[in-house]
Amino acid sequence: MPEACIADALGWLAQAVGTHLFVVKGVLALLVVCTLCGSVGAMVVGNRMAFFSDAMAHCAFAGVALGFLSVLVVGTDNKATAAWLVPLVMVTFGVLVGVGMILVRERTGLAHDTVIGVFFALALGFGAMLTKMVQNVSSVNLETFMFGSLVLVDELDLVYLCVVLVLMCGLFLWRYNQLMFASFNPSLARTRRMSVTLNNYLFIILLALVVNLSIKAVGALLINALLIVPAAAAANVSRTLRQMFWLTITFCLGAGGLGYWLSSQFTISVGNQKVDFSPSGTIVVVSVVGFFLSMTVVAVWNRFAPIFGGRQFQQFHRHGPDDPCGDDHPFGQCP
């Protein structure tokens, strides 16, 4: 079994480093999740899909409830069955919701945010409807999936995350340029005969995999922050799509590592008790601080760059409808 091999390897690594096994598992899960969110986040921001990814994260919570309900329908309380059936139902539900959003928008002509709001309400209502039922017949605490816990990540979760990482690398090796181009400038991608529709569906499937299999580590409420904030910070200081892609991964990994370290090193005293910080929340706060720092750095650089003959950063609003490639991509130079 892959999880058994990973458990042995992690146990050896924990002994070699001289720390607890759950710390090693949490750090490894964090590195994989940040790499996944950083890689996908650049396309989420480029597609202007921040609200879409937030809806997907909340749909993941409904998928969790539906997954545990499926375990009850199967008629077994075996944890081994739940270990593979729940993630399968979560991912399937997430993909169906994502595809449904696109199909409804194409058939009705409604605004994108309106369609997302409808599915957002459906996911929250469906999840709330099933929550009490699952809690009455199972010992599972669904709040774990809302806020996440790096401590509770097990070997099988790491296997799923590593599989998604391999699939993402394969997809990017296959059609990275088309995915990025379709994300940042779909109209120009169509003129160059790229299959924008296929790229959109591939991206939705990848996003569903990343969101649904990462929520146990960072939570459904916080996964969207890792998808959006590092990419937004990278967009502030990037001049090209490729720069933004790699900077997003770098910022996401940096925020993850720094936030995890801060949560483990610092506490606050409230009365006679010491209160620890949640790793997931600390990581998100650090990433938001990084975003505002990137804004400050760009503002200061653009202020003094002309004095020293430097090149200013071009922001999203610099493009206009008169540009040869349109106004639906963020960078100063048309691709």
Side-chain angles (χ1 to χ4, degrees):
M1 296 293 291
E3 61 269 24
C5 297
I6 290 183
D8 294 338
L10 293 178
W12 174 85
L13 182 59
Q15 268 190 332
V17 177
T19 186
H20 298 288
L21 178 60
F22 71 87
V23 175
V24 175
K25 291 193 294 184
V27 171
L28 181 58
L30 180 63
L31 291 175
V32 178
V33 169
C34 287
T35 303
L36 290 170
C37 292
S39 302
V40 177
M43 288 186 287
V44 172
V45 171
N47 259 325
R48 296 173 171 86
M49 295 175 66
F51 191 27
F52 183 93
S53 63
D54 191 33
M56 291 285 285
H58 286 79
C59 288
F61 175 64
V64 171
L66 184 61
F68 282 106
L69 181 63
S70 301
V71 175
L72 300 176
V73 172
V74 171
T76 177
D77 197 20
N78 191 350
K79 290 184 178 180
T81 303
W84 65 265
L85 184 57
V86 173
L88 178 62
V89 174
M90 288 169 56
V91 171
T92 303
F93 183 75
V95 171
L96 291 176
V97 168
V99 173
M101 290 183 196
I102 294 181
L103 291 178
V104 170
R105 182 174 183 270
E106 291 176 349
R107 296 294 179 88
T108 61
L110 293 172
H112 202 181
D113 58 343
T114 302
V115 176
I116 292 174
V118 172
F119 280 86
F120 191 96
L122 170 64
L124 288 180
F126 189 60
M129 183 177 67
L130 297 179
T131 297
K132 189 174 182 179
M133 181 189 307
V134 173
Q135 290 178 340
N136 286 339
V137 297
S138 174
S139 60
V140 176
N141 184 8
L142 293 179
E143 289 187 2
T144 302
F145 294 90
M146 291 293 289
F147 299 99
S149 176
L150 292 169
V151 177
L152 298 179
V153 174
D154 55 31
E155 289 79 7
L156 191 58
D157 295 322
L158 290 174
V159 172
Y160 292 148
L161 289 172
C162 291
V163 169
V164 176
L165 183 61
V166 172
L167 290 175
M168 184 191 70
C169 292
L171 179 62
F172 283 173
L173 288 173
W174 175 35
R175 56 196 306 133
Y176 166 80
N177 289 332
Q178 291 196 32
L179 286 169
M180 293 297 288
F181 210 159
S183 295
F184 283 87
N185 200 330
S187 58
L188 187 58
R190 290 188 181 94
T191 63
R192 298 189 179 184
R193 297 183 179 180
M194 294 182 183
S195 180
V196 176
T197 302
L198 175 61
N199 290 325
N200 286 339
Y201 283 119
L202 289 175
F203 173 68
I204 288 171
I205 294 173
L206 178 61
L207 184 62
L209 287 170
V210 171
V211 169
N212 285 276
L213 297 179
S214 299
I215 62 170
K216 191 171 183 180
V218 294
L221 295 178
L222 301 177
I223 185 66
N224 193 52
L226 285 180
L227 288 170
I228 302 302
V229 181
N236 285 334
V237 296
S238 300
R239 301 187 190 277
T240 65
L241 300 181
R242 194 172 298 274
Q243 282 184 7
M244 180 178 173
F245 176 78
W246 290 111
L247 282 176
T248 301
I249 297 176
T250 302
F251 289 167
C252 201
L253 287 171
L258 181 58
Y260 186 82
W261 179 78
L262 289 174
S263 66
S264 63
Q265 295 295 320
F266 295 96
T267 59
I268 58 175
S269 297
V270 179
N272 296 326
Q273 295 183 346
K274 289 187 176 181
V275 179
D276 297 324
F277 293 107
S278 168
S280 299
T282 307
I283 291 168
V284 173
V285 171
V286 169
S287 64
V288 173
V289 171
F291 169 76
F292 286 110
L293 284 176
S294 69
M295 287 181 58
T296 304
V297 169
V298 169
V300 172
W301 177 265
N302 285 345
R303 175 92 176 182
F304 294 100
I307 300 175
F308 303 101
R311 181 184 174 190
Q312 290 183 321
F313 288 98
Q314 300 294 320
Q315 301 300 302
F316 282 96
H317 65 274
R318 301 289 180 134
H319 269 279
D322 296 331
D323 290 330
C325 58
D327 59 351
D328 56 350
H329 70 90
F331 297 101
Q333 182 180 1
C334 297

